[in-house]
Amino acid sequence: MGMMVGGKRGIVSEMNVVPLIDILLVLLVIFMIIPVYSKGLDAVIPQQSTLPPEQTQIDSVVVIQVFADGTLRINQKPVAWDALSSRLEEVFKQRASRIAFIRGDGPVEFGVVAKVIDVMHTSGIASVGLLTPDLDKGL
């Protein structure tokens, strides 16, 4: 803020706007440069099925169930932990789409589910979906 003393008008105080203009120009340059270097993440948006609901193939869905006691089932058939990878490769040998779902009980630890997801990725399954008990209830 500048202040003049003397003269015929007396004491006059007026704001010095030159530093404010400098700050404004610096901010303008910064906001012009930022969008050039920023890049977002690619998101895959779910698409609506083109098939009518009665033509969707429910038997083609692979669901791996993880129970609280540590047992596993692939489409309601029991499977051991050491045979999970070979069983998944056998199931997906004849399938074009490599998509599977994991359904876990409520008290299942996340580490167990993460271990199943890891085995699925090493078996070459492209997409893994999670099904929760609340999803069946419609919540």
Side-chain angles (χ1 to χ4, degrees), residues 52-56:
E54 63 271 358
Q55 289 184 355
T56 57

Side-chain angles (χ1 to χ4, degrees), residues 8-29:
K8 295 182 182 177
R9 298 187 317 189
I11 297 177
V12 177
S13 66
E14 59 185 48
M15 187 176 214
N16 189 0
V17 293
V18 174
L20 295 176
I21 293 173
D22 291 343
I23 292 171
L24 178 70
L25 290 175
V26 168
L27 288 175
L28 181 67
V29 169

Side-chain angles (χ1 to χ4, degrees), residues 40-48 99 126-127:
L41 298 175
D42 295 332
V44 179
I45 299 172
Q47 301 295 322
Q48 185 175 3
I99 299 172
S127 293

Side-chain angles (χ1 to χ4, degrees), residues 32-117:
M32 287 173 57
I33 292 174
I34 286 176
V36 175
Y37 297 111
S38 65
K39 183 180 184 301
L41 298 175
D42 295 332
V44 179
I45 299 172
Q47 301 295 322
Q48 185 175 3
S49 175
T50 56
L51 297 175
E54 63 271 358
Q55 289 184 355
T56 57
Q57 298 175 352
I58 296 176
D59 59 338
S60 68
V61 176
V62 176
V63 178
I64 300 171
Q65 292 177 307
V66 182
F67 295 100
D69 59 354
T71 58
L72 299 173
R73 287 187 181 183
I74 298 177
N75 289 344
Q76 302 296 329
K77 295 177 184 172
V79 65
W81 275 98
D82 53 353
L84 179 62
S85 179
S86 61
R87 179 75 175 113
L88 285 172
E89 290 174 3
E90 178 184 325
V91 168
F92 284 103
K93 188 185 330 181
Q94 301 294 330
R95 296 176 186 251
S97 67
R98 300 181 77 68
I99 299 172
F101 295 95
I102 297 177
R103 176 176 301 189
D105 282 345
V108 172
E109 294 183 18
F110 178 74
V112 176
V113 175
K115 189 176 176 183
V116 173
I117 292 173

